């Protein structure tokens, strides 16, 4: 490892944003290219690259470099790519199970109690912040995937996931406050 790199890493562990920026600019393309090579998606490669550097910044005080920073960042990127594919696999399995359950379900009869539940659902959706509401409706009422939503709305998948998690959390909190349980 060069003296320059040792110095940058020392400054990084002390929270020096300029040192981080220097390392970022020196290694961003390597991380992005490696991520793109495996995902074949610009959006996924950007997300993984962002996660890698975010992780480096968060762990800056405890980073241990055995050989070079490039070796460290390549190893970190490989781990993030593996985690990315694991998460996608789990998501596909959940979507497959949900699709099977929907296909096996018998249609509900339009009854007053179900109309009441539908009304409560509409009220909950109406309480969501506008952006979260828009993403939630497109996801669940128009049956779009997170990837399709991100592409259609010009957002990153992480942004779509954030808004969906936010919507679910807010709706859960409102349900807990009410006397109606689903």
């Amino acid at each position: 490892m060069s003296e320059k790199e040792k110095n940058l890493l020392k400054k990084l562990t002390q929270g020096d944003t300029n040192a981080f920026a220097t390392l970022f600019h020196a290694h961003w393309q390597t991380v992005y290219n490696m991520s793109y090579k495996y995902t074949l998606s610009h959006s996924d490669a950007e997300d993984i690259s962002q996660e890698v550097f975010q992780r480096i910044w968060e762990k800056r005080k405890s980073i241990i470099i055995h050989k070079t920073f490039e070796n460290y960042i390549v190893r970190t990127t490989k781990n993030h790519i593996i985690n990315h594919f694991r998460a996608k696999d789990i998501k596909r399995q959940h979507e497959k199970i949900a699709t099977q359950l929907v296909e096996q379900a018998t249609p509900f009869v339009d009854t007053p109690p179900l109309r009441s539940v539908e009304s409560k659902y509409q009220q909950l959706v109406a309480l969501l912040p506008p952006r979260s509401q828009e993403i939630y409706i497109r996801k669940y009422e128009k049956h779009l995937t997170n990837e399709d939503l991100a592409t259609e709305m010009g957002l990153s998948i992480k942004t779509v996931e954030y808004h969906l998690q936010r919507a679910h959390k807010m709706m859960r909190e409102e349900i807990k406050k009410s006397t109606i349980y689903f």
Side-chain angles (χ1 to χ4, degrees), residues 44-159:
D44 288 347
E46 287 174 356
D47 287 344
I48 291 169
S49 300
Q50 184 176 356
E51 289 169 12
V52 166
F53 284 100
Q54 180 179 355
R55 178 80 173 183
I56 288 169
W57 180 253
E58 290 170 353
K59 300 290 183 182
R60 67 189 176 277
K61 292 180 181 177
S62 60
I63 289 178
I64 298 172
I65 309 292
H66 295 290
K67 292 184 180 180
T68 66
F69 185 72
E70 184 159 353
N71 286 349
Y72 175 82
I73 206 158
V74 165
R75 188 175 68 245
T76 301
T77 302
K78 284 179 183 178
N79 290 337
H80 278 274
I81 292 168
I82 290 168
N83 290 340
H84 169 79
F85 283 113
R86 282 184 185 147
K88 274 195 163 196
D89 253 3
I90 290 169
K91 181 180 174 196
R92 269 192 227 109
Q93 290 172 4
H94 288 172
E95 287 173 350
K96 182 178 177 183
I97 291 168
T99 301
Q100 289 171 346
L101 290 173
V102 167
E103 289 171 356
Q104 294 170 358
T106 57
F108 289 110
V109 177
D110 187 23
T111 62
L114 289 178
R115 282 192 295 272
S116 172
V117 169
E118 175 65 22
S119 172
K120 181 63 177 175
Y121 167 76
Q122 293 300 332
Q123 290 171 5
L124 291 172
V125 171
L127 292 173
L128 297 174
R131 190 64 151 181
S132 296
Q133 184 182 77
E134 179 184 11
I135 291 171
Y136 183 88
I137 289 170
R138 286 182 183 208
K139 169 76 175 177
Y140 294 107
E141 293 182 10
K142 295 184 180 180
H143 309 290
L144 296 177
T145 66
N146 291 359
E147 291 84 7
D148 290 341
L149 276 168
T151 302
E152 185 178 293
M153 298 179 76
L155 303 170
S156 74
I157 292 175
K158 293 291 180 190
T159 300

